[in-house]
């Protein structure tokens, strides 16, 4: 059998399936696209999920890939054995509702036996227990003897992940011979030793699991296969492990050369050699896909791998920085299948070198501190490093927790991981509370202040809405990076931009930045210190790196609508000066795609007639179709043209003068329409004062105005429908309804008064005389305060002179009302003080004038006691 290399095997696989009408697709990025369930692509089918679920239509129904993958679930074991690696390549052929089991199994067999040349007698298929269809294909069609076909249960040979498509699978094992075996007499397929190695897995997606263990047959059956390229190479090259196949061995040899060490002479040395070899490969591929080292998510995975590699390089005695040097070897060995590595070489080296620099600066201090901590633990007889100490190493010296764990494990110590997690949580909460830090200038500290002051941006958006330019700087929300990748939020700076940054009241342009490598949605455009323009948004696809040439596309509709509203402010400014006088100056504005706001100096509210006149003038100039002409000139020449400068605005030596026919001439840096007719129409919605001598107009034009009219029309129709009439007859209907409401209200008040009177009954026999003043304190439940006042008036007529107090309980609350006639007041009675004296007994408070007072309370149980206290209180008031 020929011992093909990794790069040859990859090419052979893709070419074989291309001959079977498959589309050979490039490996997808390690960064999952629109898939929050994964941090990194960890299987060949992971990026193809949308094709399997039907969310997206595949480019062809037969596809094959060689997909780069990263798995870090067992990072602790990497290096300790030669079986584990974080980076691997997955070969796969896929069918989306096209071929099924027969073709899939036949082609697997054909590729392994005829193309690669594996001995058919050393290949052993496995199938799911009940999959008779697969058994027949292997046994009757392909000719594998029944005793060489293994039936396994659900755990081994049925693929499912909760609800969704699932199905049985058929794996192919290769017997590597006794030298790799455990020597036990019962050693066969499924044994844990290294003799029988699983090479290929064919998954038959033929059922849908509803999540409760109920299976239905899928109308569209899919094939999803996976074969580890490195595993296939282990078999074909007849080597002992992943680390001794041609490409990985060449990389391992390079590590040995740098370290001056030999492989397979000393276990501890081998562990470090394998870690450096595996991790540098993963790091190179991750950075090539735009993943940058950080303290969270996939950036943290990268940082962990980088720092682990750097530390084990030191353990091996490698002098100075070495990661970029090794990465060069990775690129040379893998560029055959992944040309993007060569394209991104400069960036990869830069990121590796900077990160290694950072780590080198802190590792010596960190190791010294860790030694002191170990000494303390030994003295105290403890074998566990506290969470607080582990966190200090992480926070101050940049040691990822697993690095601390690994170093301590080598010395038989452990770490309090729960304590570490608690410290991490506390720090995140503190950071959240103290998010707004400021620098010595009093400004908010942002990532933008770290940008090289020499970087500037030229604005070319007056003449272009689409423009190509080179990326000069990329940032995430908190650091400058070499690349931005799928799903990341960040800011892009370029040499020349057509995007207008928020300035002079005009809101920013939005749009997209694209290249063949990625797409970024621009949500905001901002001006930064030193003539820089930042495009803020999110990478929606792929990746950008510093130095890439990209195409910047401004959202044309957003720009056009904003320009219409901006040009309208110029017409409005001149119209206000015409109607109100030359004292009018612009004091601020806000121009968006939807509306405009204009602040101006004026000392009284505009009359409806003045508003109408201003609207009329602006609309007249819109309909006149004035040409809008922009010229650049010196400030002196601009003043000679009579251009209005904005109050308090600073202007440079060269200014832009915007002229609208002979009507308006202003200095302005914003974007405008070419002709006023584009504005279509103008309407003032409101005019109000916002400060002493400053008024504000809110207005609409073009699409914004039409949307407003549509909304108003909708409200009018809804109101008419609610009133059961037509919009034309709505006013008359409302007037009739108001008359009806007035009549019903009057009738309601009479009924309430009558009911209150009846509820109280005849109470004149309850009148007491206190020092010659008649006092009546009664209860009438279910009456509101208005009703109590009416009752009071009626009782006064019957009583003549005196004091009346009425209490009522309504909906669990107490109302109290007291009234005193002129004669009673002359004798010393005071309704306000009386209410104050008794309101506390019903859990409330109140007061009022000498002749009339009221109170509310929350304690109905105190009503009788409060009424009983009335006579006593009046007695204390009357002289």
């Amino acid at each position: 059998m020929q011992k093909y290399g990794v790069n040859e095997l990859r090419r052979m696989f893709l070419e074989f399936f291309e001959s079977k009408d498959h589309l050979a697709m490039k490996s997808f990025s390690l960064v999952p696209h629109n898939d929050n369930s994964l941090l990194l692509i960890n299987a060949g089918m992971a990026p193809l999920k949308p094709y399997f679920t039907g969310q997206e239509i595949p480019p062809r129904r037969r596809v094959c890939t060689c997909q780069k993958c990263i798995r870090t679930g067992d990072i602790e074991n990497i290096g300790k054995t030669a079986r584990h690696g974080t980076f691997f390549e997955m070969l796969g052929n896929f069918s989306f509702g096209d071929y099924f089991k027969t073709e899939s199994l036949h082609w697997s067999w054909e590729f392994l036996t005829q193309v690669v040349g594996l001995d058919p007698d050393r290949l052993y298929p496995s199938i799911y227990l009940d999959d008779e269809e697969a058994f027949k294909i292997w046994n009757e069609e392909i000719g594998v003897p029944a005793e060489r076909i293994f039936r396994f249960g659900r755990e081994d040979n049925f693929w499912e992940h909760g609800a969704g498509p699932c199905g049985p699978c058929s794996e192919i094992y290769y017997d590597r011979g006794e030298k790799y075996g455990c020597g036990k007499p019962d050693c066969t397929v499924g044994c844990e030793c290294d003799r029988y190695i699983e090479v290929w897995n064919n998954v038959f997606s033929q059922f849908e699991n509803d999540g409760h263990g109920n299976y239905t047959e899928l109308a569209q059956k899919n094939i999803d296969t996976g074969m580890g390229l490195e595993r296939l190479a282990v078999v074909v090259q007849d080597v002992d492990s992943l680390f001794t196949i041609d490409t990985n061995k060449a990389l391992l040899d390079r590590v040995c050369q740098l370290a001056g060490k030999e492989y397979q002479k000393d276990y501890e040395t081998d562990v470090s050699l394998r870690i450096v070899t595996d991790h540098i490969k993963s790091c190179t591929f991750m950075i090539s896909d735009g993943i940058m080292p950080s303290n969270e998510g996939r950036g943290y995975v990268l940082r962990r791998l980088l720092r682990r590699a750097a530390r084990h390089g030191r353990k091996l005695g490698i002098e100075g920085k070495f990661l970029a040097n090794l990465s060069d070897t990775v690129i040379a060995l893998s560029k055959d299948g992944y040309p993007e590595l060569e394209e991104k070489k400069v960036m990869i080296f830069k990121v590796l070198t900077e990160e290694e620099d950072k780590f080198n600066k802190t590792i010596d201090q960190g190791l010294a501190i860790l030694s002191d901590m170990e000494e303390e633990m030994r003295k105290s007889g403890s074998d566990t490093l506290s969470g607080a100490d582990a966190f200090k190493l992480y926070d101050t010296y940049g040691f990822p927790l697993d690095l601390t764990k690994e170093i301590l494990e080598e010395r038989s110590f452990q770490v309090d991981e729960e304590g570490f997690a608690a410290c991490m949580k506390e720090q995140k909460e503190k950071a959240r509370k103290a998010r707004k830090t400021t620098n010595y200038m009093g400004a908010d500290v942002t990532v933008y202040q770290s940008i090289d002051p020499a970087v500037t941006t030229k604005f070319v958006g007056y003449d272009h809405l689409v423009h190509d330019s080179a990326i000069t700087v990329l940032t995430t929300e908190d650091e400058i990076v070499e690349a931005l990748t799928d799903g990341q939020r960040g800011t892009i700076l370029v040499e020349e931009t057509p995007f207008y940054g928020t300035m002079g009241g005009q809101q920013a342009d939005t749009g997209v930045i694209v290249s063949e490598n990625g797409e970024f949605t621009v949500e905001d455009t901002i001006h930064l210190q030193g003539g820089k323009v930042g495009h803020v948004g999110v990478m929606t696809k792929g990746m950008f790196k510093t130095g890439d040439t990209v195409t910047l596309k401004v959202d044309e509709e957003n720009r056009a609508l904003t320009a219409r509203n901006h040009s309208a402010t110029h017409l409005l400014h001149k119209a206000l000066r015409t109607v109100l006088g030359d004292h009018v100056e612009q004091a601020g504005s806000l121009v968006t795609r939807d509306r405009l706001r204009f602040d101006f100096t004026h000392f009284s509210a505009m009359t409806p007639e003045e508003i109408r006149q201003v609207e009329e003038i602006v609309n007249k100039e819109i309909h006149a179709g004035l040409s809008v002409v922009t010229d650049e000139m010196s400030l002196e020449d601009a003043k000679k043209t009579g251009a209005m400068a904005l109050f308090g605005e600073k202007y440079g030596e060269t200014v832009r003068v915007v002229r609208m026919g002979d009507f308006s001439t202003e200095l302005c840096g914003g974007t405008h329409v070419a002709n006023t007719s584009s504005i279509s129409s103008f309407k003032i919605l409101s005019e109000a004062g916002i400060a002493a001598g400053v008024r504000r107009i809110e207005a609409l034009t073009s699409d914004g105005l039409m949307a407003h009219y549509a909304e108003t029309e909708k409200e009018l129709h809804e109101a008419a429908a609610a009133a059961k009439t037509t919009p034309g007859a709505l006013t008359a209907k409302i007037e009739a309804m108001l008359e009806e409401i007035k009549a019903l209200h009057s009738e309601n008040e009479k009924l309430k008064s009558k009911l209150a009177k009846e509820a109280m009954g005849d109470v004149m026999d309850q009148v007491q005389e206190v020092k010659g003043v008649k006092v009546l304190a009664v209860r009438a439940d279910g009456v509101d305060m208005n009703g109590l006042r009416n009752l009071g008036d009626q009782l006064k007529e019957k009583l003549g002179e005196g004091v009346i107090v009425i209490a009522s309980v309504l909906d669990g609350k107490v109302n109290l009302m007291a009234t005193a006639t002129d004669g009673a007041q002359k004798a010393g009675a005071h309704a306000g003080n009386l209410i104050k004296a008794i309101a506390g007994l019903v859990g409330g408070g109140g007061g009022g004038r000498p002749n009339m007072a009221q109170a509310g309370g929350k304690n109905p149980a105190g009503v009788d006691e409060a009424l009983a206290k009335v006579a006593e209180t009046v007695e204390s008031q009357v002289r």
Side-chain angles (χ1 to χ4, degrees):
M1 182 177 66
Q2 197 172 330
K3 296 191 174 182
Y4 298 108
V6 165
N7 290 322
E8 284 175 289
L9 287 170
R10 185 192 302 113
R11 201 161 42 238
M12 286 157 69
F13 177 86
L14 296 174
E15 284 173 2
F16 173 76
F17 279 100
E18 277 181 305
S19 77
K20 307 292 183 191
D21 295 326
H22 286 62
L23 171 69
M25 294 178 78
K26 263 182 66 179
S27 171
F28 290 80
S29 167
L30 284 164
V31 179
H33 178 58
N34 286 343
D35 184 353
N36 296 330
S37 68
L38 284 181
L39 205 55
L40 292 155
I41 292 296
N42 62 1
M45 69 79 65
L48 303 172
K49 266 197 249 178
Y51 302 148
F52 282 114
T53 58
Q55 290 167 304
E56 287 180 33
I57 296 166
R60 207 183 288 173
R61 290 175 72 188
R62 297 180 179 189
V63 158
C64 61
T65 60
C66 178
Q67 176 63 44
K68 48 193 171 185
C69 303
I70 288 199
R71 288 185 191 170
T72 55
D74 54 2
I75 194 169
E76 281 78 18
N77 289 321
I78 287 157
K80 291 180 186 172
T81 76
R83 271 186 177 191
H84 298 85
T86 53
F87 178 86
F88 64 97
E89 295 176 58
M90 184 67 85
L91 301 168
N93 56 291
F94 307 92
S95 162
F96 310 110
D98 189 348
Y99 62 83
F100 202 49
K101 289 184 191 176
T102 303
E103 295 89 338
S104 178
L105 297 180
H106 274 274
W107 289 336
S108 299
W109 190 257
E110 184 185 339
F111 179 75
L112 291 176
T113 59
Q114 292 176 37
V115 178
V116 177
L118 295 182
D119 179 353
D121 293 336
R122 295 174 80 165
L123 290 171
Y124 294 78
S126 74
I127 57 168
Y128 179 53
L129 276 175
D130 309 330
D131 194 349
E132 294 308 323
E133 188 186 353
F135 179 80
K136 275 185 176 169
I137 296 166
W138 280 122
N139 181 239
E140 295 172 18
E141 295 180 23
I142 296 172
V144 178
E147 64 274 12
R148 291 233 319 270
I149 302 168
F150 287 75
R151 292 178 186 262
F152 290 134
R154 193 169 207 87
E155 202 173 299
D156 294 304
N157 276 50
F158 195 92
W159 271 66
E160 65 183 332
H161 299 279
C166 58
C169 66
S170 177
E171 297 175 329
I172 304 171
Y173 291 83
Y174 180 78
D175 177 3
R176 302 170 70 206
E178 286 178 17
K179 62 177 172 176
Y180 295 108
C182 54
K184 291 175 187 166
D186 60 347
C187 178
T188 185
V189 171
C191 180
E192 285 299 302
C193 73
D194 287 341
R195 177 171 174 176
Y196 295 92
I197 185 170
E198 180 217 321
V199 178
W200 204 329
N201 190 5
N202 286 256
V203 178
F204 313 124
S205 288
Q206 62 188 100
F207 303 115
E208 174 80 23
N209 179 355
D210 67 357
H212 304 288
N214 301 311
Y215 298 91
T216 49
E217 194 90 9
L218 280 173
Q220 177 184 299
K221 296 180 172 65
N222 303 313
I223 288 289
D224 156 20
T225 80
M227 171 160 61
L229 175 59
E230 293 85 353
R231 274 202 187 183
L232 178 63
V234 165
V235 165
V236 170
Q237 295 171 21
D238 192 22
V239 292
D240 63 351
S241 78
L242 299 172
F243 289 93
T244 41
I245 58 174
D246 62 323
T247 47
N248 286 350
K249 181 66 168 59
L251 179 58
L252 182 80
D253 288 346
R254 183 85 185 94
V255 181
C256 290
Q257 189 187 350
L258 288 177
K261 297 278 193 293
E262 264 187 80
Y263 186 48
Q264 292 178 327
K265 285 275 188 279
D266 168 71
Y267 176 71
E268 284 300 320
T269 302
D270 286 354
V271 169
S272 293
L273 287 169
R274 287 192 288 255
I275 285 173
V276 175
T277 302
D278 171 79
H279 288 11
I280 190 60
K281 197 166 185 180
S282 287
C283 293
T284 301
F285 274 89
M286 285 172 85
I287 297 165
S288 79
D289 280 337
I291 298 166
M292 296 288 115
S294 74
N295 279 341
E296 57 189 14
R298 57 184 76 96
Y300 185 57
V301 173
L302 173 60
R303 181 162 275 169
R304 280 169 67 191
L305 295 173
L306 268 169
R307 294 191 165 182
R308 234 171 149 240
R311 178 178 162 264
H312 280 278
R314 279 179 160 236
K315 274 187 77 178
L316 289 166
I318 301 175
E319 294 293 321
K321 290 191 293 249
F322 65 93
L323 293 179
N325 186 331
L326 278 179
S327 180
D328 198 18
T329 306
V330 174
I331 293 167
L333 292 166
S334 301
K335 66 184 179 188
D336 187 61
Y338 302 96
E340 66 269 21
L341 294 173
E342 185 73 51
E343 291 159 25
K344 313 273 173 57
K345 194 173 190 169
V346 175
M347 178 185 81
I348 295 167
F349 291 175
K350 191 170 179 190
V351 173
L352 285 169
T353 305
E354 281 182 9
E355 187 68 12
E356 196 173 1
D357 260 343
K358 268 188 205 168
F359 190 46
N360 282 343
K361 279 177 191 156
T362 59
I363 193 167
D364 291 328
Q365 291 169 286
L367 288 171
I369 299 291
L370 186 53
S371 292
D372 293 344
M373 290 173 177
E374 281 176 44
E375 198 50 47
E376 288 301 314
M377 287 192 291
R378 276 197 190 90
K379 280 181 191 165
S380 64
S382 166
D383 67 347
T384 305
L385 183 72
S386 74
D389 280 346
F391 184 72
K392 182 182 174 186
L393 283 166
Y394 163 80
D395 200 32
T396 314
Y397 301 103
F399 272 43
L401 177 65
D402 59 331
L403 183 57
T404 303
K405 270 169 62 183
E406 189 181 307
I407 295 169
L408 288 173
E409 208 178 272
E410 289 164 8
R411 298 163 199 186
S412 304
F413 289 107
Q414 51 193 27
V415 179
D416 171 13
E417 292 185 52
E418 279 181 24
F420 176 87
C423 292
M424 178 72 100
K425 189 178 172 199
E426 186 187 337
Q427 192 212 41
K428 279 188 174 163
E429 277 163 13
K430 267 189 204 158
R432 209 172 290 121
K433 285 175 189 154
R435 191 56 50 87
K436 266 206 160 180
T437 45
T438 58
N439 61 18
Y440 69 96
M441 297 291 282
D444 293 347
V445 173
T446 65
V447 60
Y448 305 130
Q449 275 146 337
S450 312
I451 297 171
D452 181 350
V455 172
T456 57
T457 312
K458 184 183 176 190
F459 177 63
V460 295
Y462 295 128
D463 308 308
H464 307 281
L465 291 181
V466 178
H467 191 68
D468 290 350
S469 189
I471 294 175
T472 51
V473 179
L474 293 169
T475 82
T476 59
E477 290 174 293
D478 45 24
E479 59 186 331
I480 294 172
V481 289
E482 284 297 310
L484 279 179
T485 186
D486 207 326
Q488 276 191 305
R489 295 197 66 78
T491 302
I492 295 177
L493 276 70
V494 293
E495 289 169 0
E496 297 182 336
T497 182
F499 281 76
Y500 184 89
T502 299
M503 190 168 60
Q506 180 177 329
Q507 290 301 98
D509 279 333
T510 57
V512 291
I513 300 176
V514 297
S515 79
E516 59 186 22
N517 299 319
E519 194 169 295
F520 180 88
T521 299
V522 180
E523 295 167 354
D524 194 10
T525 309
I526 55 176
H527 284 274
L528 304 170
Q529 289 168 313
K532 303 172 186 56
V533 174
H535 306 83
V536 182
V538 63
M539 279 302 294
T540 49
K541 204 163 68 183
M543 129 194 193
F544 288 157
K545 65 181 195 307
T546 309
D548 281 357
T549 294
V550 289
T551 303
L552 299 101
K553 298 179 180 178
V554 172
D555 179 331
E556 290 186 36
E557 185 190 33
N558 181 65
R559 166 74 78 88
L561 291 171
T562 306
R564 287 172 202 173
N565 284 332
H566 193 161
S567 295
T569 62
H570 285 225
L571 299 176
L572 173 61
H573 191 183
K574 183 60 190 285
L576 286 167
R577 287 171 73 92
T578 306
V579 173
L580 303 178
D582 287 347
H583 63 279
V584 169
E585 292 271 3
Q586 180 174 334
S589 72
L590 175 69
V591 179
T592 71
R593 62 178 288 151
D594 303 314
R595 65 194 177 97
L596 66 95
R597 193 174 80 198
F598 190 80
D599 301 340
F600 60 100
T601 52
H602 186 54
F603 304 95
S604 58
M606 287 175 71
T607 64
E609 178 55 26
E610 285 169 338
I611 290 172
R612 189 191 61 73
Q613 281 181 310
V614 167
E615 277 183 350
E616 229 171 57
I617 291 170
V618 174
N619 280 310
K620 179 171 163 255
E621 301 306 333
I622 288 170
H623 299 142
L626 307 176
S627 287
V628 179
V629 180
T630 307
D631 292 309
E632 285 198 357
M633 57 184 79
S634 71
L635 189 55
E636 282 308 305
D637 288 344
K639 283 176 180 168
K640 286 173 195 164
T641 69
M644 274 193 289
L646 300 191
F647 184 68
E649 188 80 32
K650 286 197 183 89
Y651 293 101
E653 276 309 300
T654 306
V655 292
R656 291 180 87 248
V657 177
V658 178
R659 276 201 316 256
M660 298 184 181
D662 295 328
F663 180 72
S664 158
T665 309
E666 278 192 37
L667 300 183
C668 180
T671 62
H672 289 278
V673 295
N675 189 291
T676 58
S677 61
S678 305
I679 303 167
S680 75
S681 50
F682 171 86
K683 176 75 185 154
I684 293 174
L685 290 188
S686 65
E687 188 273 349
I690 55 163
V694 181
R695 311 291 299 171
R696 170 171 290 172
I697 279 175
E698 300 262 3
L700 299 172
T701 74
S702 67
D703 291 19
L705 182 52
M706 292 312 291
H708 168 71
Y709 282 142
E711 187 57 35
T712 306
E713 187 179 20
K714 182 172 161 246
E715 285 172 8
L716 178 63
H717 281 283
E718 283 171 359
K724 295 187 172 57
T725 186
T726 61
L730 188 58
T731 306
K733 181 74 184 232
I734 289 171
E735 284 169 352
M737 286 164 84
L738 287 172
E739 281 300 316
E740 193 181 340
I741 289 166
K742 196 173 167 186
L744 289 169
H745 184 71
S746 172
E747 195 179 325
N748 191 31
E749 287 302 311
K750 281 178 194 164
L751 285 168
K752 276 163 73 178
S753 178
K754 188 181 171 197
L755 284 169
K757 210 168 172 183
E758 285 170 1
M760 192 172 62
D762 186 9
V763 292
M764 296 314 288
D765 57 348
Q766 294 177 38
V767 176
Q768 298 169 266
E769 198 162 303
V770 177
K771 290 187 180 175
V773 175
K774 287 178 188 167
V775 175
L776 178 57
V778 291
R779 180 170 184 158
D781 286 343
V783 182
D784 63 12
M785 197 59 85
N786 208 23
L788 291 184
R789 286 196 291 270
N790 289 339
L791 276 180
D793 290 342
Q794 289 168 32
L795 289 174
K796 255 198 295 190
E797 279 177 32
K798 287 188 181 178
L799 189 68
E801 291 291 339
V803 173
I804 296 163
V805 176
I806 313 174
S808 172
V809 177
L810 179 66
D811 298 330
K813 294 200 172 85
V814 181
N815 290 322
L816 286 177
M817 191 284 306
T819 180
T821 62
D822 291 347
Q825 286 172 61
K826 280 175 188 161
H830 189 292
N833 292 341
L834 170 56
I835 279 285
K836 269 185 199 161
I838 66 170
L841 295 168
V842 293
R849 301 184 304 279
N851 65 325
M852 165 75 187
Q854 59 192 45
K858 295 176 191 160
N859 176 25
V863 169
D864 293 338
E865 195 184 341
L867 292 174
K869 195 178 175 184
V870 171
E872 179 194 321
T873 308
V874 173
E875 189 175 357
S876 68
Q877 289 181 344
V878 175
R879 293 178 286 279

